[in-house]
Amino acid sequence: MPARPGETLALWEALSSTTSVARGASVLVALGAADGLADAVRMPLATAARAALGELRERAGPQVQTVLTCPDCGAVLDVPLRLDDLLDATGDVPEGAESGLVTVDGVVVRGPTTEDLLVALTSTDPSAALRDRCVTWPAGVDATTPDPAVRERVSAVAEELAGASALAVRLDCPDCGGDVAAEVDAVALLADRVADEVRDLLSDVAELAMAFGWSEADVLQLSDARRHAYLDLARRGGAR
Ligand SMILES: [Zn+2]
């Protein structure tokens, strides 16, 4: 079912009125998955990214195109992203991670939230700051020199917890065979999609407002079918 125009506009306003770091949290609020921004910034980035991916799937269908540039030969590639595959890849929460926490070898690992990211970005070394906030070593263990095997298991769990917030695509360049890889930012993809929809919607509103002397609210109340029928009429000179 297509989203109602009012919902599309509300989502667009939420996405365009926040900084890119907090956009995932805005998505959770706009979709009703969080009570407010204060609540949403404490939810995992993975939850926000997965919600954005689901909303994008609803609006855009099973596939969206993204554009990547080959780092070796500079070829500009149109790459299809299969959203169902991405959703499947992020569907499994690591065992015991329902609470957002996983304990491995006594080390407690938490999926990063928007709040973690915002705090980490004020540090001189954001990635180390983010790790410090999300990984708690047991008392008496020196976090700077852990057993390499433990460190590896901790990283693996952290990666799993990042889920939909750390998606990537990888392909061979059809021109030179080089390795092309890029992160998939589900929230940014949703923001682009919603911005396109809003551009079309507002152009319909402007056209009908001018043709029939209606207000924005009048036009937004119309169903898609009626809006398109009136646009047809206006374009055929029906609004004399
Ligand atoms: Zn190439």
Side-chain angles (χ1 to χ4, degrees), residues 222-234:
L222 298 173
S223 65
D224 281 357
R226 283 162 76 177
R227 195 171 74 244
H228 293 142
Y230 279 120
L231 275 171
D232 266 354
L233 272 177

Side-chain angles (χ1 to χ4, degrees), residues 5-237:
E7 288 167 3
T8 300
L9 285 170
L11 182 56
W12 171 67
E13 280 172 331
L15 283 164
S16 48
S17 63
T18 26
T19 61
S20 59
V21 179
R23 279 200 302 195
S26 302
V27 169
L28 289 171
V29 178
L31 297 181
D35 284 337
L37 211 51
D39 183 25
V41 295
R42 294 196 180 89
M43 290 168 74
L45 293 170
T47 304
R50 195 174 157 76
L53 212 50
E55 181 67 14
L56 182 63
R57 173 67 178 82
E58 290 264 304
R59 289 172 178 273
Q63 189 167 298
V64 295
Q65 292 289 329
T66 191
V67 176
L68 300 178
T69 305
C70 173
D72 294 337
C73 72
V76 176
L77 309 171
D78 271 324
V79 180
L81 296 177
R82 298 176 50 82
L83 300 176
D84 292 328
D85 291 351
L86 294 176
L87 279 164
D88 283 349
T90 62
D92 298 329
V93 210
E95 207 173 321
E98 292 78 16
S99 59
L101 295 176
V102 173
T103 305
V104 52
D105 296 303
V107 185
V108 181
V109 188
R110 184 165 61 76
T113 64
T114 301
E115 186 175 56
D116 292 323
L117 206 55
L118 287 166
V119 172
L121 284 172
T122 63
S123 146
T124 49
D125 185 351
S127 55
L130 192 61
R131 208 164 44 236
D132 285 350
R133 280 183 69 88
C134 298
V135 178
T136 310
W137 296 87
V141 172
D142 182 1
T144 53
T145 54
D147 177 347
V150 173
R151 185 189 278 277
E152 205 163 291
R153 285 196 287 273
V154 168
S155 303
V157 167
E159 206 166 294
E160 264 185 278
L161 282 169
S165 63
L167 290 172
V169 280
R170 173 160 280 117
L171 64 147
D172 294 332
C173 173
D175 287 2
C176 75
D179 191 20
V180 185
E183 286 175 16
V184 175
D185 182 341
V187 175
L189 289 173
L190 175 65
D192 288 348
R193 168 75 196 187
V194 170
D196 284 349
E197 288 180 10
V198 164
R199 198 173 310 118
D200 290 347
L201 184 61
L202 294 187
S203 126
D204 289 358
V205 170
E207 197 172 335
L208 289 176
M210 275 190 285
F212 299 109
W214 293 340
S215 71
E216 184 197 54
D218 292 336
V219 179
L220 292 179
Q221 271 173 19
L222 298 173
S223 65
D224 281 357
R226 283 162 76 177
R227 195 171 74 244
H228 293 142
Y230 279 120
L231 275 171
D232 266 354
L233 272 177
R235 286 169 192 170
R236 281 186 290 144

